[in-house]
Amino acid sequence: MNQSNVLSGSNAATPQNDGAGWYAIRVLFNRWATLLVELEERGWESFRPSEVIASLLFVRCTEMEITDLAARHHERMMVYRLPGSRKPARIGDREMEVFRFVVTAGRQGLTLLGDDRPEYHMGDRVVVTQGPFKGAEGHIKRIKRDRRLVVTIPGVVAVATAYIHPDFLKKID
């Protein structure tokens, strides 16, 4: 199995309307093998943006399933939780769709900003109208003198694209 690719098959056992959602996992000490085998056996859709963020994995399942997985693999992984809570932080399908699109389309010139922090939310919310990131939504931030689209999964991660020309941006209210 190629661990750097998107790990989603058409036979994923978790349809869109069954109460499942996306959850972020930090894999500890590069202990991927057993975890990935179990995810594949269960048929869960997952996404590993390894070229961008080496220890991050996203899994689509129910809250009960992610809690059970975390309990069984506590030495291998940590589930991102809601701030001030023990409840796993569920990521919306649209947020995950935009994040996957940007990470996959922008392999060249993508900058990892680290954990999502409020300082990355400064600036206008925009949608990209042309180019390789067309349709992606996020915030504009000037980084290293370039205008970049910042896409975040709140409380988990923020990434910035390569330079995007202002003509390719449209402000969202």
Side-chain angles (χ1 to χ4, degrees):
M1 169 188 341
N2 184 348
Q3 296 176 357
S4 65
N5 292 333
V6 174
L7 300 170
S8 66
S10 57
N11 61 348
T14 313
Q16 294 283 11
N17 61 355
D18 69 349
W22 286 98
Y23 295 92
I25 297 171
R26 180 167 305 273
V27 178
L28 306 172
F29 311 111
N30 207 18
R31 294 182 177 169
W32 290 95
T34 305
L35 189 58
L36 291 174
V37 167
E38 182 170 345
L39 295 177
E40 190 170 288
E41 285 173 354
R42 289 176 177 241
W44 290 356
E45 184 178 3
S46 61
F47 176 67
R48 181 179 175 198
S50 64
E51 292 176 16
V52 179
I53 311 145
S55 63
L56 191 61
L57 175 68
F58 296 92
V59 178
R60 190 167 202 297
C61 59
T62 66
E63 183 177 335
M64 184 185 305
E65 289 170 329
I66 197 68
T67 301
D68 179 57
L69 185 72
R72 284 183 288 103
H73 293 281
H74 67 275
E75 75 285 352
R76 289 184 183 88
M77 61 177 267
M78 177 204 77
V79 176
Y80 284 88
R81 304 203 179 272
L82 295 171
S85 171
R86 299 208 22 89
K87 187 174 179 160
R90 184 178 175 137
I91 301 164
D93 288 335
R94 178 68 179 146
E95 287 176 290
M96 194 63 205
E97 180 183 324
V98 170
F99 180 78
R100 286 176 80 161
F101 172 68
V102 168
V103 169
T104 304
R107 291 184 193 268
Q108 304 284 333
L110 200 63
T111 301
L112 172 63
L113 300 177
D115 295 343
D116 170 41
R117 296 186 190 120
E119 69 226 28
Y120 298 125
H121 293 273
M122 296 170 60
D124 294 332
R125 181 145 177 84
V126 298
V127 62
V128 180
T129 60
Q130 295 178 33
F133 298 108
K134 182 178 180 178
E137 297 175 13
H139 293 84
I140 290 302
K141 175 119 177 118
R142 200 168 283 283
I143 301 171
K144 297 180 183 173
R145 294 187 278 181
D146 280 340
R147 180 171 298 158
R148 298 182 185 209
L149 177 71
V150 176
V151 175
T152 63
I153 294 182
V156 178
V157 69
V159 294
T161 65
Y163 171 78
I164 297 179
H165 193 278
D167 291 345
F168 294 177
L169 301 173
K170 178 181 176 188
K171 188 173 177 178
I172 301 174
D173 293 326

